[in-house]
Amino acid sequence: MTAQPVPGLSIPTTVATGRHRLASVRQKALLTAKWRTLWVLVGFTLISIVALIRLCILGITGASSGSDDLAEALLPARGEIVDRNGVPLAEDFRTYSLWFNPKAMTDGPPLIHTPMQVALGLQKIFPDLDVNKVAAELASGKPGYLRRSILPEDANKVHALGEPSLEFPLEESRYYPQGSMAAHVLGYVDSYGKGKVGMEEAFDKQLTSIDGREHPSVLSIDYRVQGALEDELARGMADSHAKGAAGVVLDVDTGEVMALASLPSFDPNHVLPGDMMISKEQAEEGDTPHGFNRVTNQVYELGSCFKPFNVAAAIDAGTVTNLARLYPSKPFPMGGFMIKDAHKMPPMMNVPEMLMHSSNVVSAEVADELGGERLKATMEKLGMNARPPIELPARGFPIWPSGKWSRVRTMTVSYGHGIAVTPLHLAMGYAALVNGGIWRPATLRKLSPDEVPAGRRVFKASTSAKIRQMLRLIVAFGTGRSANAEGFRVGGKTGSAEKPGVHGYRHHSLISTFAAAFPMDKPRYVVIAMLDEPQGTEMTSFQRTAAWNAAPVVGRVIPRIGPLLGVMPDDTRDIDISDLRPLIKGDTSE
C-alpha cells in the first residue's frame, strides 16, 4: 500500500539543510581550535626545549645572563684602589664637564655674546680661568673641553649665562680622596682613561676588567704610615733646604711596602704639565720633575750605608772572625786615588768602631781582604745589579761595575761609591741584613701569609744577628744617635755621599741617607730617609751630613708609625749588645 501525502501538511527542507550546514561549521571551528591548541602546545614545547638547552649551555660555559650584563653596566668604568685597611685611595665618580659645542645653534653664530664676553662670564665662576685662552678657543669655532670636573652648582651658573653651545656632559672622572698623598705610588689617569705612572699604569688592565671594577685592588701601603712619612720628609726638606727627599717603610719579613714617598710631589687630581717634564736648563742643574719617583727610578751613590753589607759579607766569608781586631785608619793611595776619611779618626779601630765612626779607610781594608769577587757576589745576591723588583713601571737601572772588580773598585764599593742604586734597593738589602739573612723582593700588593715569597738566603742567620747588634750600637752611641727613638730599639747607619757631576764629584752637593730598622731585638720594619742636596742651616747645626738631617727624620717617623704597625715603645726590652760594648772606646757623632 502506497503512502499518500496528507493534504495541507508540508516538510521544511530548508531548515534541515541549515541545521546540516551549522553542524558542519561547528565541526570545522572545533577542528580549527584543536589545531590551534596543538600548535600552541607545540610552540610551548619548543620554547621549553630551547630554554632548557640554553640553561644547560649557561651551566657548562658560565656565560653571563642579562642580569649580569645589567650588573656590569652599573659598575664604574675603573676599579677602586684601596690601602691595606680598605681606605679609598683612588675611585671613579660621575662629574660634569664644560664642553663647547659650536653646532648647538643650528642657525647663526655659535655664541649669542662675543667670545670675550663669554670668557669673562666664565671667569667669574672659575677665577683661575685663563680668559684670553678660553676666548681664543671659543672664537676658533672648534668643539672641545673648556673645563673638566665642575661642580653641579657651577654648571647651573654657566647655564645662567644663556649660551646653548656651553654643554655639561656627565662623565666618569677619577678622584684621589687623599690628594697628593702617595701620588708616586698611585700615578694618575689621563684624559683618555689610561693609567699613567704608578699603580694606575701597572694595574691598568686589572682596574678595567670586570673583576677589577667589581672588587677593589688592595695595596700594601697603610695610608696612616704614608702620611707620617711624607710629613716628616717634608719637614726634613724644609729644615735643611734640600731640593728633594725620598723615603720607604718596608716589612722585613714579607717585602710589603708600607709607605713610599718622593718629594716634591704632585696632585693626581690636577696634574700639571710641569709635574711630568722640566726644561733642559733645569735638568742640567740636577732637577727632576715632581712626578719623578726618587725611590724606585733614581739611582744614587748612597755612601756609608753600604758598609754593613761589606762587614756582613766579610763575616760570612771568614775574613772577619775577631771583632776586636784593630785596623789602622791612616789614609793610603790606591789605583790613582787616595782612600781617606772625611774627618779625623782614631789611629786604630776595630770593625764595630769603624761602623760607629764611619771610616772609609778601615772599610776599604776589610773589603780588600774579602776580595772583589766575593763582595760582588754578595751585591748580586742583594739584587744591586738589576732594576728593583716592584710593580711600578718607573724603575731605575743601577750603575753597576761589570767585569772583574779591581782592588780600588772593591774598596770604593765597600763604602758606597762607584755603585749607584735606588733607595728601594737599599731598603731590601737592609731587610736581608736584619731579618736573618733572607732577601725578598719588594711589593706594593697586600700579601696573605701563603703569598709571601720564600726569598733567597744572602747572609747566615748568625751574621744577621751580629749585624743587628752593630747597627744598634751605631744608633745608641754613634753617628745615628738622633734616630734613637726612645723605647723602639732602633738600629741603623748614616750615609753621606757627594753627588757626581759632569766634571767629577760636586763637593758641595750631598746625598744624605739614613737606613734603619726597628725594633732590633726582633726586627719588623726597615725605614729609609734620604735628602737630596741638604744645606747646613740653623736647624741642622749648620751641618750637611746624614747624622744631622736624615737621621732625625727617622727618629721622628718611627714613634709615629710604630704604634700604627703594632710596635709599642718598651724601655724594658732591647737587643743584647753587652759583648760588643767593651770594644767601644768612645762615643762619636758624624
Side-chain angles (χ1 to χ4, degrees), residues 424-437:
L424 186 59
H425 281 102
L426 186 67
M428 291 183 291
Y430 265 68
L433 275 177
V434 303
N435 71 2

Side-chain angles (χ1 to χ4, degrees), residues 8-307:
L9 181 63
S10 63
I11 298 175
T13 57
T14 55
V15 173
T17 303
R19 286 176 180 175
H20 178 75
R21 290 177 178 173
L22 180 60
S24 178
V25 169
R26 286 176 178 175
Q27 288 176 352
K28 289 181 180 180
L30 182 60
L31 183 61
T32 301
K34 288 180 178 180
W35 275 109
R36 288 176 178 175
T37 302
L38 180 61
W39 281 117
V40 169
L41 289 174
V42 171
F44 274 116
T45 302
L46 290 174
I47 292 172
S48 300
I49 293 172
V50 171
L52 183 61
I53 294 172
R54 176 64 173 164
L55 287 173
C56 292
I57 293 173
L58 290 175
I60 295 171
T61 64
S64 61
S65 63
S67 59
D68 293 332
D69 295 337
L70 177 60
E72 181 183 344
L74 294 175
L75 293 174
R78 195 174 184 87
E80 186 180 33
I81 300 177
V82 300
D83 85 335
R84 66 186 301 108
N85 299 311
V87 177
L89 301 176
E91 55 191 359
D92 267 20
F93 73 110
R94 292 181 178 272
T95 60
Y96 292 101
S97 292
L98 180 54
W99 173 265
F100 175 50
N101 179 13
K103 296 183 179 180
M105 300 277 284
T106 55
D107 297 324
L111 295 171
I112 297 173
H113 302 87
T114 66
M116 182 55 71
Q117 288 174 328
V118 175
L120 290 171
L122 291 173
Q123 188 188 40
K124 293 179 181 179
I125 303 169
F126 311 106
D128 61 335
L129 185 133
D130 187 333
V131 175
N132 293 327
K133 179 181 177 182
V134 171
E137 291 173 350
L138 294 171
S140 70
K142 297 179 181 179
Y145 286 101
L146 300 179
R147 199 174 187 90
R148 289 182 177 271
S149 300
I150 66 175
L151 297 173
E153 53 265 37
D154 290 335
N156 290 333
K157 293 176 183 178
V158 174
H159 181 71
L161 295 178
E163 290 288 349
S165 59
L166 299 181
E167 298 178 346
F168 319 104
L170 190 61
E171 301 176 329
E172 293 281 354
S173 181
R174 199 66 165 162
Y175 177 58
Y176 301 88
Q178 311 303 330
S180 62
M181 182 185 294
H184 293 87
V185 173
L186 297 171
Y188 66 99
V189 175
D190 65 13
S191 58
Y192 299 100
K194 293 292 184 181
K196 294 294 182 181
V197 306
M199 298 305 282
E200 290 281 22
E201 181 175 339
F203 281 1
D204 195 57
K205 290 184 179 179
Q206 174 181 325
L207 290 168
T208 54
S209 69
I210 295 176
D211 184 66
R213 292 159 62 195
E214 186 174 358
H215 302 102
S217 296
V218 184
L219 301 187
S220 61
I221 68 169
D222 185 321
Y223 95 103
R224 303 168 301 173
V225 177
Q226 181 74 28
L229 179 63
E230 291 187 15
D231 186 40
E232 294 300 344
L233 283 173
R235 178 179 170 183
M237 277 183 64
D239 286 348
S240 63
H241 297 173
K243 67 165 36 178
V248 62
V249 179
L250 187 74
D251 188 313
V252 303
D253 292 321
T254 67
E256 290 172 288
V257 175
M258 311 305 291
L260 187 154
S262 179
L263 300 179
S265 189
F266 66 96
D267 185 354
N269 290 303
H270 305 287
V271 180
L272 304 174
D275 290 335
M276 296 298 147
M277 61 183 67
I278 57 174
S279 66
K280 181 180 179 181
E281 292 73 22
Q282 289 174 307
E284 290 175 351
E285 289 295 320
D287 295 336
T288 57
H290 290 183
F292 189 83
N293 192 334
R294 298 172 185 268
V295 179
T296 66
N297 203 20
Q298 180 67 63
V299 296
Y300 304 91
E301 292 186 347
L302 295 174
S304 297
C305 291
F306 265 55
K307 289 171 183 172

Side-chain angles (χ1 to χ4, degrees), residues 526-571:
V526 162
V527 182
I528 305 292
M530 188 208 75
L531 294 171
D532 189 353
E533 295 192 23
Q535 306 301 310
T537 67
E538 185 176 358
M539 295 299 296
T540 63
S541 300
F542 301 100
Q543 303 296 317
R544 297 183 300 137
T545 54
W548 301 93
N549 46 50
V553 171
V554 174
R556 294 191 299 267
V557 167
I558 288 177
R560 293 183 62 176
I561 70 173
L564 300 174
L565 296 172
V567 180
M568 304 304 293
D570 187 348
D571 292 327

